Amino acid sequence: MKPLFSILALLLLSNCSFSGDDIEFVGVTVSLDASTYEVVYSPSVVTLTVPMTIVNASVSTVYVDNLGAGGLTVHLERKKGDEWTHAFISLRSLQFPEPLVISPGETYTYNAVYAASTDANQPVGFTEYPLSGTYRLNVAMYASWDRSAGYKAPLPEDARVSRSFEVIE
């Protein structure tokens, strides 16, 4: 009875909108260390770095899409009116390494880095300039993974999306 009570209490305290099927992921959060981040310009590259921490205080293992070479799939989204839109386009390599596994009780700290050429003719990079605005991170986290079928069942939005933050130039 105690574990069920703890999960229900956590659900009420976190003010999340999980359904009954998602209750096992109550306690998974994407946290940020600041509310404002600054874009860095160099002669040929514009860079935004957002340090984040994934906390798995749930009872289930979480699987994060791994790009290899230390990279994770963390989508940068920008608020446009009442909607969130993709704010950065990147290319994915053809390698599909095993996911980052975050077990119950573990945390994982990661720097989400978005870097793009200042050359406007490049196919990847920020989708709109100026960059100042309201953003959030949307981490590709899943409830399961296996080698033959890949990722299954994305976590609920409340578990995989950070709070909003401001970007300044």
Side-chain angles (χ1 to χ4, degrees):
M1 182 71 175
K2 256 186 173 177
L4 179 59
F5 177 75
S6 297
I7 290 172
L8 291 175
L10 186 58
L11 178 63
L12 291 173
L13 291 173
S14 65
N15 194 22
C16 291
S17 59
F18 290 93
S19 70
D21 293 339
D22 301 326
I23 194 87
E24 66 186 288
F25 295 104
V26 171
V28 176
T29 59
V30 177
S31 62
L32 306 175
D33 67 348
S35 59
T36 303
Y37 297 93
E38 188 169 358
V39 175
V40 176
Y41 285 92
S42 72
S44 60
V45 177
V46 58
T47 306
L48 173 65
T49 302
V50 183
M52 62 173 228
T53 301
I54 300 170
V55 178
N56 186 359
S58 77
V59 296
S60 298
T61 299
V62 171
Y63 301 88
V64 184
D65 187 20
N66 182 359
L67 298 172
L72 301 177
T73 301
V74 181
H75 302 286
L76 181 65
E77 298 178 341
R78 185 175 189 166
K79 191 161 191 170
K80 303 276 288 180
D82 292 334
E83 295 185 19
W84 291 97
T85 62
H86 289 287
F88 191 86
I89 298 171
S90 60
L91 298 176
R92 182 179 181 120
S93 73
L94 294 178
Q95 65 173 338
F96 294 95
E98 292 188 5
L100 168 69
V101 177
I102 304 175
S103 299
E106 291 184 340
T107 62
Y108 185 80
T109 301
Y110 178 74
N111 284 329
V113 178
Y114 304 92
S117 170
T118 54
D119 178 358
N121 294 320
Q122 296 298 316
V124 298
F126 294 97
T127 59
E128 182 179 330
Y129 290 90
L131 296 177
S132 295
T134 303
Y135 292 79
R136 69 181 186 180
L137 301 180
N138 188 338
V139 182
M141 286 195 280
Y142 299 87
S144 65
W145 177 85
D146 70 52
R147 188 171 303 283
S148 61
Y151 295 103
K152 297 179 187 174
L155 264 56
E157 187 173 292
D158 288 350
R160 60 185 161 77
V161 173
S162 74
R163 64 173 166 70
S164 62
F165 57 93
E166 297 300 312
V167 169
I168 58 173
E169 294 186 73

